[in-house]
Amino acid sequence: MRRVLRAAMLAGTALGWPLLAWGQGLDLSQGGPVDVTASDGIEWRQAEQVVIARGNARAVRGGVTVDSDRLMARYRPQARAGAAPAPPPAAGPATAPDEALGGGSEIWRLEAEGRVRITSATDVARGDRAVYDIDQAVLVLTGRDLSLTTAQQVITATDSLEYWSQRKMAVARGNAVVVDNAEGRRITADTLVSYFLDGPGTAPSAPRPAPPVAAAGAAGREPPGSGKLDRVEAFGNVEIRTPTEVVRGSRGVYSAATGMARLLGDVRITRGDNQVNGQEAIVNMRTGVARLVSAPGARVQGLILPNQNPDQPGEPAAGQPRGQGGATQPATPERRSR
């Protein structure tokens, strides 16, 4: 028998964010009652202030659904606006779970284990384990096959995947990958921080605190929102691939709106057998035009192996100086400095 617990548990409202600011995202910090269902029963531990649902467990709130093998909802007495959370009540006579989780209680943490899947109208997140801190409006996914899929991009990682719903930010750690389907871009790094724009028709967001991750090349800039991908900040072993080239560096920033990427530190641009190296690069991912910038006192290095010109062997193509386009180079690769 499938057991159902309708818990009128309120989320912490101290943040004061408007619900429309992340209307279709995975935000469990706003909404009405939480409906918890399970096939193997629901356990209520009054002393620990936790409700545990087992077997095809599901929690639904405000258009967001959490499915897993096991689901734990931690609650506390509801605090008045502007007041600190009330301490746990002293042990007393046991009451029914529905009474304990009424209007006087609020959920402050949800934990899901085993085949976790969190969905909204537009987004899907997956992992082995998920923890949602409602006070911070932060979802942390761990385990295998971590992914966050939105309407325009897919984010994956091996160590952890964080989703800051009110800051419009996702942080992927460990072999992190962002695939921008709208632009056909693939970005990989040790850590990727993705920022999103507000979707159409959403209300303006309230002022937000600075993000917890240092932003490369965006000091003092506020995260711009959620919905469509705005930019990606990459840290460690950064790699951006296009159909014609691969750009690598130590850290970088990619703008989805402009298709421009800026990479810093041991930058290498590889196109076929050709490679150029420098300390900084500005790459237009739409046109394929890359500009390398050397460090002070250093020179940009390159290994150039242009294609043969089948019409005029040994000579440049029409209108091109030797060393560009279809021009022919000596059989032995020549290292050059520019």
Side-chain angles (χ1 to χ4, degrees):
M1 178 181 297
R2 188 170 182 81
R3 301 187 179 182
V4 180
L5 170 63
R6 180 176 294 273
M9 295 182 279
L10 303 177
T13 56
L15 292 174
W17 304 106
L19 176 61
L20 290 178
W22 186 249
Q24 299 299 320
L26 304 178
D27 188 359
L28 287 164
S29 66
Q30 301 289 340
V34 178
D35 287 343
V36 180
T37 62
S39 58
D40 295 340
I42 296 176
E43 177 184 356
W44 173 52
R45 299 180 181 178
Q46 182 184 19
E48 302 175 27
Q49 294 188 332
V50 61
V51 172
I52 304 174
R54 295 185 174 87
N56 299 316
R58 169 173 289 184
V60 180
R61 186 180 203 218
V64 179
T65 301
V66 181
D67 290 297
S68 63
D69 295 336
R70 182 173 179 265
L71 182 66
M72 297 190 354
R74 299 186 182 275
Y75 67 94
R76 65 192 175 202
Q78 182 182 359
R80 291 175 296 179
T95 57
D98 286 7
E99 297 176 8
L101 302 180
S105 299
E106 61 183 5
I107 294 178
W108 64 275
R109 181 182 176 100
L110 282 172
E111 302 175 16
E113 296 179 352
R115 298 181 296 177
V116 178
R117 187 172 185 268
I118 306 173
T119 59
S120 71
T122 58
D123 302 342
V124 179
R126 291 183 173 88
D128 286 336
R129 187 172 189 271
V131 176
Y132 193 95
D133 186 321
I134 290 178
D135 291 339
Q136 299 294 324
V138 178
L139 168 67
V140 179
L141 291 161
T142 55
R144 298 171 299 176
D145 300 326
L146 303 177
S147 67
L148 170 62
T149 303
T150 69
Q152 296 190 355
Q153 57 271 331
V154 179
I155 303 173
T156 60
T158 56
D159 294 346
S160 66
L161 184 55
E162 303 169 17
Y163 187 75
W164 298 69
S165 58
Q166 301 295 350
R167 297 181 182 180
K168 316 302 184 289
M169 178 177 69
V171 183
R173 306 180 190 275
N175 299 313
V177 179
V178 172
V179 178
D180 184 359
N181 294 323
E183 293 289 340
R185 310 281 184 254
R186 177 184 173 90
I187 305 169
T188 64
D190 295 339
T191 301
L192 290 172
V193 184
S194 302
Y195 297 98
F196 304 91
L197 295 168
D198 287 325
T202 57
S205 302
R208 307 181 188 90
V213 181
R221 180 178 176 185
E222 183 183 57
S226 66
K228 184 178 179 181
L229 184 67
D230 175 58
R231 76 182 191 273
V232 178
E233 296 173 357
F235 305 88
N237 298 307
V238 180
E239 180 178 290
I240 302 177
R241 288 184 175 268
T242 72
T244 59
E245 62 192 0
V246 180
V247 185
R248 298 181 177 91
S250 298
R251 62 190 187 278
V253 178
Y254 164 71
S255 170
T258 64
M260 301 295 292
R262 180 190 180 197
L263 278 76
L264 301 172
D266 193 22
V267 176
R268 292 163 291 163
I269 301 178
T270 303
R271 182 176 295 172
D273 293 329
N274 302 328
Q275 178 175 305
V276 288
N277 305 328
Q279 289 302 310
E280 179 179 349
I282 306 296
V283 184
N284 188 323
M285 309 302 288
R286 292 175 179 170
T287 65
V289 176
R291 180 169 63 90
L292 278 168
V293 180
S294 62
R299 296 171 66 86
V300 176
Q301 301 292 324
L303 174 63
I304 311 299
L305 295 171
N307 296 328
Q308 295 285 339
N309 184 349
D311 296 330
Q312 298 180 5
E315 294 296 327
Q320 291 182 333
R322 184 179 296 276
Q324 295 185 6
T328 303
Q329 295 297 308
T332 301
E334 177 183 354
R335 294 191 176 275
R336 298 183 173 181
S337 297
R338 292 194 276 177

